[in-house]
Amino acid sequence: MAIESVLSSPLGPPACEKDAKALQFIEDMTANVDLVQERVLKEILTSNAETEYLQKYQLNGATDRDSFKSKIPMVTYEDLQPEIQRIANGDKSPILSSRPISEFLTSSGTSAGERKLMPTIEEEMDRRQLLYSLLMPVMNLYVPGLDKGKGLYFYFIKAEARTPGGLVARPVLTSYYKSKQFKTRPYDPYNVITSPNETILCVDSFQSMYSQMLCGLIMREEVLRVGAVFASGLLRAIRFLQLNWEELANDIATGSLNHKVTSPSIRECMAKILKPNQELAELITNECSGENWEGIITRLWPNTKYLDVIVTGSMAQYIPTLDYYSGGLPKPCTMYASSECYFGLNLRPMSKPSEVSYTIMPNMGYFEFLPHDPSAPAFSRESPPRLLDLAELEVGKEYELVITTYSGLNRYRVGDILLVTGFYNKAPQFRFVRRKNVLLSIEADKTDESELQKAIENASLLLREFSTSVVEYTSYADTKIIPGHYVIYWELLVKDPANSPTGAVLNQCCLAMEESLNSVYRQSRVADNSIGPLEIRVVKNGTFEELMDYAISRGASINQYKVPRCVSFTPIMELLDCRVVSKHFSPSAPHWTPERRS
Ligand code: AMP
């Protein structure tokens, strides 16, 4: 009886005592949202009372919500840029945080074409770790027996840079995988993965992917779940397998590691894992050599119970492809997080992707919500809107997330729009609606309308000597083939048909566009090969007028009609594709280095 009461939770029966504690923690947090939020704000403001930032706004040591809300403005990254630049340049005084800034996390959101730099402090790693530690206890409620096997996860680190002042700047997951919290994590039977640390911690994406895939294939029968952070990452792994299965099977047949894997630490650890196994090599060859890759995940990893990938937000575009490769396995979206702050988790991981809601954990930061109303007039600094607290939200309404973090962001607009779908205890649950202003996204890249416009303008410069201009354009993220790529539809005005731009010039236009896109896009093209060459499809003259006619026939007003700068609606795609006169691709990769463009 006593054990049973320890091992029970309103969420379901925990798999073990450790899980029971985690589930109890979720209960406590969600039942006391408002109190926890008050405490978190107090902790943050107490700790940062002496910072230049809070002093500038004369908070005078106050730690209550009313003072905070009345004195501290809501800001964007651009507002904080001067402070962030000073920290990057080596100013160690307490500008945003009283604790030393340990590093910068480079967000996939960009500002002026470069990744945003998010200052972070040492203790945040423990907070992230805490959120991770809640994921398996929830998963174990729905999928029993996960302690009887392993997870095949494709995790990667990326190149690091240093700011002028010497601080490391790297993506949050690179920071996490390199942390002691990850590298020396205690053994947990419910969370064993097939990839040894060495294979994850190799910055060369080919060697890292190759060795992780090899481990997954060798341990195929033990694999109970297959995953990556985002859906695009898992599909990239499948594409990698399509291109490299012969070499992988050969390694397994011979028991010797491909010479392309040169990292000594990977070679050393693979030597312990890789043994000749003719039978397995033949099985892989049989499965992979056919044209039909439908269900390949469950054919290669027959005990897979679910795909652990995020398919909400811009990743929803990959659901049909994942279903094709996995025979429709469940795709629990376990968590919602960002470089600025980890937010929360999905308490019903087996729900359909379209029904996924995340519960923000109130201990992770102080969260406020700006009611989202696109038709409302823009507000000014002088009359800022009232932000709501977690405990004040209403079901069915959309809000923009505004956060205050232990690392020193105060009332910072993340840019995510969330819809409240319900409550767990007192905690609102959110559907991720979208990221504001994102027009095109293949994986981590986020291209907005002004970036696309600038890219078009840059590329159009090449058309000048041919007396040609781009009269209209729209775009489309084509993810039917992996890696996905940007497609830009162009309608051209050619003034001198005898001297129209050649195919080679239009190919160069593709490259010129890529060169002017942001660094996350270019990194994906160059370092990760996770985005394919940009394509321009030139359409017949008059196509965009037809597009307008179509919109008007469906009820759009002629006065208010604007060309959509991104399209995905099938009839519109069909209309455009029927009128394509030529297709052009970037002939080479754009320029990218880990260093930031100043
Ligand atoms: P980054 O700053 O590069 O870590 O990106 C964080 C952003 O990724 C968030 O602000 C969201 O826009 C998006 N994101 C993170 N987790 C999810 C999720 N579970 N579903 C949809 N979008 C997500």
Side-chain angles (χ1 to χ4, degrees):
M1 187 63 191
I3 292 176
E4 248 172 40
S5 71
V6 172
L7 292 184
S8 76
S9 159
L11 284 163
C16 59
E17 213 155 318
K18 188 161 148 275
D19 284 12
K21 282 196 185 134
L23 298 180
Q24 187 56 49
F25 180 78
I26 295 173
E27 284 303 311
D28 293 345
M29 288 297 118
T30 53
N32 298 297
V33 166
D34 208 37
L35 271 179
V36 178
Q37 283 285 275
E38 198 176 306
R39 173 176 60 75
V40 165
L41 182 65
K42 193 169 180 170
E43 280 173 11
I44 294 174
L45 298 182
T46 306
S47 161
N48 289 337
E50 304 301 318
T51 56
E52 196 182 289
Y53 192 81
L54 292 186
Q55 294 204 340
K56 176 166 93 179
Y57 292 106
Q58 291 167 359
L59 200 57
N60 302 330
T63 59
D64 62 291
R65 289 190 229 199
D66 288 345
S67 310
F68 179 68
K69 284 174 188 272
S70 65
K71 293 190 171 169
I72 306 295
M74 179 171 71
V75 291
T76 63
Y77 182 81
E78 283 66 30
D79 296 322
L80 295 180
Q81 191 108 55
E83 281 86 359
I84 288 179
Q85 200 52 54
R86 277 173 54 210
I87 299 170
N89 290 344
D91 188 335
K92 294 201 167 53
S93 60
I95 299 174
L96 295 174
S97 167
S98 61
R99 313 267 161 93
I101 299 300
S102 52
E103 60 182 304
F104 277 110
L105 302 176
T106 54
S107 156
S108 60
T110 56
S111 171
E114 292 295 335
R115 286 173 178 268
K116 291 177 185 167
L117 290 176
M118 294 300 166
T120 190
I121 55 176
E122 201 77 49
E123 66 173 59
E124 270 302 284
M125 193 61 84
D126 290 328
R127 216 164 272 119
R128 286 181 209 121
Q129 179 63 35
L130 175 71
L131 191 68
Y132 282 126
S133 75
L134 305 177
L135 305 182
M136 285 315 289
V138 173
M139 212 57 231
N140 289 335
L141 295 173
Y142 294 89
V143 187
L146 290 175
D147 56 334
K148 307 290 182 298
K150 298 183 177 172
L152 164 55
Y153 283 80
F154 297 95
Y155 288 151
F156 300 94
I157 60 165
K158 288 199 179 194
E160 299 181 354
R162 280 197 185 265
T163 67
L167 281 171
V168 172
R170 55 189 178 181
V172 62
L173 290 173
T174 298
S175 170
Y176 178 65
Y177 299 140
K178 287 185 157 185
S179 71
K180 65 175 188 322
Q181 284 86 342
F182 178 77
K183 286 197 292 193
T184 58
R185 60 197 182 276
Y187 174 79
D188 174 357
Y190 289 92
N191 205 3
V192 180
I193 57 175
T194 53
S195 299
N197 288 351
E198 292 81 349
T199 62
I200 296 170
L201 295 171
C202 172
V203 80
D204 180 300
S205 62
F206 176 87
Q207 296 185 47
S208 178
M209 176 77 93
Y210 192 94
S211 50
Q212 294 193 55
M213 185 63 84
L214 197 51
C215 292
L217 291 169
I218 293 167
M219 300 173 213
R220 69 183 279 272
E221 285 178 5
E222 292 169 77
V223 169
L224 301 182
R225 49 201 168 108
V226 175
V229 179
F230 288 111
S232 55
L234 181 54
L235 287 173
R236 213 176 120 214
I238 301 298
R239 179 73 193 141
F240 184 91
L241 187 61
Q242 282 176 335
L243 297 175
N244 295 283
W245 63 264
E246 274 172 291
E247 288 178 65
L248 289 156
N250 184 52
D251 287 10
I252 292 172
T254 60
S256 60
L257 184 61
N258 193 327
H259 61 86
K260 288 186 205 155
V261 180
T262 54
S263 151
S265 58
I266 295 187
R267 294 200 73 86
E268 196 183 317
C269 89
M270 289 307 298
K272 294 181 206 133
I273 297 170
L274 184 58
K275 303 279 175 303
N277 185 340
Q278 196 60 44
E279 202 184 323
L280 176 59
E282 276 169 24
L283 183 142
I284 294 166
T285 305
N286 279 342
E287 295 297 355
C288 297
S289 56
E291 282 290 297
N292 180 8
W293 273 55
E294 190 168 357
I296 193 74
I297 294 180
T298 36
R299 285 196 264 145
L300 288 175
W301 295 284
N303 300 316
T304 312
K305 297 189 160 72
Y306 64 91
L307 304 182
D308 195 347
V309 282
I310 287 173
V311 290
T312 43
S314 65
M315 291 295 145
Q317 61 188 325
Y318 294 108
I319 293 171
T321 319
L322 284 175
D323 285 345
Y324 175 80
Y325 287 131
S326 72
L329 281 177
K331 295 164 285 296
C333 299
T334 54
M335 70 189 282
Y336 169 43
S338 76
S339 311
E340 294 90 329
C341 181
Y342 278 22
F343 306 125
L345 74 169
N346 177 0
L347 296 178
R348 294 173 55 90
M350 295 321 242
S351 47
K352 279 196 266 166
S354 58
E355 286 164 15
V356 167
S357 289
Y358 298 101
T359 306
I360 289 186
M361 283 291 118
N363 60 307
M364 300 302 291
Y366 177 61
F367 302 103
E368 290 177 281
F369 298 84
L370 175 63
H372 180 64
D373 178 5
S375 60
F379 49 82
S380 66
R381 275 245 145 151
E382 291 67 43
S383 60
R386 192 175 113 72
L387 300 189
L388 303 175
D389 281 325
L390 259 177
E392 294 177 301
L393 306 186
E394 288 175 54
V395 172
K397 295 215 166 139
E398 285 188 5
Y399 301 93
E400 183 184 335
L401 180 61
V402 178
I403 58 169
T404 297
T405 66
Y406 285 87
S407 304
L409 297 176
N410 294 287
R411 312 193 91 194
Y412 174 91
R413 297 173 78 165
V414 176
D416 289 348
I417 307 293
L418 308 174
L419 168 78
V420 179
T421 54
F423 284 82
Y424 182 73
N425 291 330
K426 297 270 171 54
Q429 301 188 292
F430 299 93
R431 181 164 310 153
F432 181 90
V433 179
R434 65 192 161 81
R435 174 108 174 175
K436 270 193 336 187
N437 300 334
V438 174
L439 207 59
L440 289 166
S441 175
I442 297 289
E443 46 129 49
D445 57 301
K446 299 168 179 63
T447 296
D448 69 22
E449 197 162 327
S450 65
E451 289 172 316
L452 182 64
Q453 170 71 25
K454 197 176 93 217
I456 303 269
E457 282 165 14
N458 276 355
S460 320
L461 296 178
L462 300 179
L463 302 177
R464 271 196 190 162
E465 62 177 292
F466 301 95
S467 308
T468 297
S469 54
V470 179
V471 284
E472 274 305 356
Y473 68 90
T474 190
S475 66
Y476 167 62
D478 186 348
T479 50
K480 284 195 281 294
I481 295 171
I482 303 296
H485 71 292
Y486 287 11
V487 176
I488 318 294
Y489 292 91
W490 269 9
E491 186 170 319
L492 297 177
L493 177 65
V494 183
K495 294 209 181 100
D496 175 10
N499 180 32
S500 61
T502 59
V505 169
L506 288 160
N507 293 346
Q508 286 303 323
C509 288
C510 297
L511 184 56
M513 287 196 65
E514 294 198 303
E515 288 291 6
S516 86
L517 291 174
N518 66 49
S519 80
V520 177
Y521 174 90
R522 286 179 284 110
Q523 180 173 14
S524 302
R525 276 281 283 130
V526 176
D528 309 339
N529 289 315
S530 51
I531 300 183
L534 183 143
E535 178 182 0
I536 290 177
R537 294 186 189 161
V538 178
V539 293
K540 271 201 293 217
N541 282 6
T543 301
F544 279 83
E545 217 172 302
E546 286 186 62
L547 204 66
M548 179 168 90
D549 292 342
Y550 179 78
I552 289 164
S553 74
R554 288 175 53 95
S557 135
I558 304 188
N559 294 326
Q560 286 169 290
Y561 177 79
K562 295 173 203 74
V563 175
R565 291 306 176 205
C566 182
V567 292
S568 58
F569 185 50
T570 309
I572 292 193
M573 310 294 310
E574 283 169 2
L575 188 155
L576 288 165
D577 280 327
C578 285
R579 284 146 185 85
V580 170
V581 289
S582 61
K583 295 183 176 187
H584 310 272
F585 289 92
S586 222
S588 57
H591 167 272
W592 176 82
T593 63
E595 283 74 47
R596 303 166 69 82
R597 282 178 181 171
S598 49

